[in-house]
């Protein structure tokens, strides 16, 4: 990868990520709004045969009246708004972003040889194949008669989701594993819109145009998939931002942490769904908060990576900054520099540079988090930092990160 390739990829990353966030906000916002809307409809003040419910709202200096109605063929409006492009655009931009971040640079963010020594082609195949298989298995389950068996398909779905979380962590770097779980869940969500919800709505409109009574099952199945999407939103949003928090994805229990966060996120969503229906189960929120605090406590990293061997190896001697400087120059500065020499990263990731000693001192806590506590860096340990070197960095920081 030459400098211009790296420069262009960096800009593509920024622009596509921007689009992905904007379209994601639009899609999730529409999902939240319509689930809330359905629960807030009340019988109309002036009853009409075809009106199932209405809702009055005030916003942006005006009043809005919404009605949910069944209409006859002659009443099909000239302009009917469909909510689908938000979903499609989010998924398309997300897949492009997956390619830009994880498939470029020979898969430097995707492949971690310490986890699985994959070839580039094999890593891409596992990535795309797992995403596709996830949708096919999920859709088959819920389209079959088993999808009508109450809680059974829900339990099976959770087991399968937990299984694919574990699966990705056996093949990819931990950061990539988290993002791929999000890619699978995002694909389930857009697949629901593309293959189930929109086709059902299309058949509904066609039936009305033909003067026929729409099949009730169409609306029921579409609503079922819409509810699935609703419960997946909070976990997917967490996964979208997870790459900023190595305390989760780089933890030794990373896949179990992700499972816990998905369950907690779905539980919080359940509270709001019940609340929208008039069932205020206030105990759910304290339970979710308690689960978060329990997760924080359980996943607290060990005291750096110190052990009895630490004292035996280094005793109580002072760690000189010259030794720290040597470690940084050998293991970190190839990427984190004003002029990186790494073959992939031609600009310092996240703008973090260790050329200046005072800047190193200012970034000491970040170095401890990334290189000592979570051992998330160097990425895939591509520079071969040793456990002993991590201990030296941790000791130096604990002594006050002196650069004298």
């Amino acid at each position: 990868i030459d400098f211009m390739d790296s420069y262009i990829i960096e800009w593509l990353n920024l622009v596509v990520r921007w689009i992905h966030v904007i379209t994601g906000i639009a899609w999730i916002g529409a999902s939240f709004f319509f689930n809330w809307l359905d629960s807030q409809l009340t019988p109309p003040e002036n009853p009409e045969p075809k009106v199932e419910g209405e809702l009055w709202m005030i916003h942006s200096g005006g009043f809005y009246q919404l009605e949910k109605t069944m209409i006859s063929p002659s009443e099909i409006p000239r302009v009917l708004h469909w909510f689908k492009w938000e979903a499609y655009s989010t998924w398309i931009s997300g897949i492009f972003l997956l390619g830009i971040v994880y498939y470029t640079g020979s898969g430097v963010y995707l492949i971690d040889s310490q986890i699985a020594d994959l070839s580039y082609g094999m890593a891409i195949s596992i990535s795309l194949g797992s995403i596709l298989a996830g949708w096919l298995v999920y859709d088959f389950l819920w389209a079959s008669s088993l999808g009508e068996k109450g809680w059974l398909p829900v339990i099976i779905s959770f087991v399968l989701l937990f299984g694919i979380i574990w699966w990705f962590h056996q093949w990819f770097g931990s950061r990539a594993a988290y993002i791929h779980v999000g890619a699978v869940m995002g694909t389930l969500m857009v697949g629901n819109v593309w293959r189930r919800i929109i086709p059902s709505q299309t058949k509904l409109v066609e039936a009305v145009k033909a003067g026929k009574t729409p099949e009730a099952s169409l609306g029921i199945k579409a609503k079922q998939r819409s509810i699935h999407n609703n419960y997946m939103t909070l976990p997917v949003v967490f996964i979208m931002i997870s790459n900023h928090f190595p305390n989760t994805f780089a933890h030794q229990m990373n896949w179990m942490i992700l499972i816990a966060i998905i369950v907690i996120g779905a539980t919080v969503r359940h509270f709001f769904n019940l609340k929208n229906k008039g069932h205020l189960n206030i105990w759910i929120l304290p339970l979710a908060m308690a689960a978060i605090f329990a997760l924080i406590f359980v996943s607290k990293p060990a005291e750096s990576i110190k052990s009895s061997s630490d004292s035996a190896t280094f005793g109580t001697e002072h760690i000189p900054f010259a030794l720290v400087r040597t470690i940084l120059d050998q293991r970190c500065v190839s990427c984190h520099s004003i002029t990186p020499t790494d073959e992939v990263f031609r600009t310092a990731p996240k703008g973090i540079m260790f050329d200046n000693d005072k800047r190193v001192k200012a970034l000491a806590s970040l170095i401890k988090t990334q290189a000592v506590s979570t051992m998330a860096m160097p990425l895939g340990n591509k520079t071969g930092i040793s456990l002993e070197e991590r201990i030296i960095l941790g000791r130096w920081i604990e002594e006050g990160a002196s650069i004298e």
Side-chain angles (χ1 to χ4, degrees), residues 51-72:
V51 177
E52 296 182 12
E54 68 174 3
L55 176 69
W56 282 89
M57 299 181 294
I58 182 170
H59 185 69
S60 62
F63 293 91
Y64 295 80
Q65 181 184 21
L66 281 76
E67 293 182 340
K68 184 175 182 180
T69 180
M70 295 301 295
I71 57 180
S72 63

Side-chain angles (χ1 to χ4, degrees), residues 166-385:
W166 176 86
W167 162 262
F168 280 133
H169 282 84
Q170 308 313 302
W171 294 106
F172 299 146
S174 54
R175 172 177 165 177
Y178 267 44
I179 292 298
H180 274 75
V181 174
V184 168
M185 296 179 73
T187 299
L188 301 188
M189 292 172 70
V190 79
N192 283 337
V193 174
W194 177 44
R195 299 295 298 163
R196 298 301 171 186
I197 297 173
I198 294 301
S200 294
Q201 292 177 348
T202 301
K203 291 178 181 178
L204 173 65
V205 172
E206 290 174 350
V208 172
K209 286 182 177 179
K212 301 178 180 178
T213 301
E215 295 181 30
S217 62
L218 292 175
I220 293 172
K221 290 180 179 179
K223 186 63 178 177
Q224 181 190 64
R225 298 300 182 97
S226 179
I227 292 173
H228 290 185
N229 284 3
N230 179 265
Y231 278 98
M232 284 190 275
T233 50
L234 295 187
V236 168
V237 169
F238 165 78
I239 293 171
M240 287 174 66
I241 63 174
S242 66
N243 63 323
H244 296 289
F245 302 96
N247 282 339
T248 57
F249 70 78
H251 196 279
Q252 60 184 0
M253 298 190 299
N254 44 26
W255 67 276
M256 289 185 281
I257 290 174
L258 183 54
I259 287 175
I261 288 175
I262 287 174
V263 172
I264 292 169
T267 301
V268 171
R269 189 64 246 162
H270 186 58
F271 165 80
F272 286 104
N273 288 341
L274 291 176
K275 178 176 177 293
N276 290 339
K277 294 179 180 179
H279 307 297
L280 189 59
N281 292 270
I282 197 66
W283 59 270
I284 295 178
L285 283 186
L287 178 65
M289 288 301 299
I292 284 288
F293 283 117
L295 182 62
I296 293 171
F297 176 78
V298 171
S299 63
K300 180 184 177 183
E303 187 62 26
S304 296
I305 49 175
K306 292 174 64 177
S307 65
S308 57
S309 62
D310 180 358
S311 298
T313 303
F314 302 102
T316 58
E317 65 186 76
H318 172 69
I319 302 295
F321 179 65
L323 180 55
V324 171
R325 180 76 262 178
T326 299
I327 295 172
L328 294 176
D329 288 343
Q330 292 179 348
R331 311 303 185 192
C332 308
V333 172
S334 58
C335 294
H336 294 286
S337 172
I338 298 173
T339 55
T341 58
D342 186 83
E343 70 277 6
V344 174
F345 298 103
R346 299 297 181 155
T347 57
K350 301 185 184 299
I352 296 170
M353 305 174 193
F354 298 141
D355 305 277
N356 181 278
D357 292 349
K358 290 184 177 179
R359 187 63 180 155
V360 170
K361 179 177 177 64
L363 293 169
S365 61
L366 181 62
I367 293 171
K368 184 174 183 181
T369 298
Q370 296 282 355
V372 183
S373 298
T374 65
M375 294 191 282
M377 290 291 159
L379 186 64
N381 199 13
K382 65 186 300 184
T383 58
I385 189 171

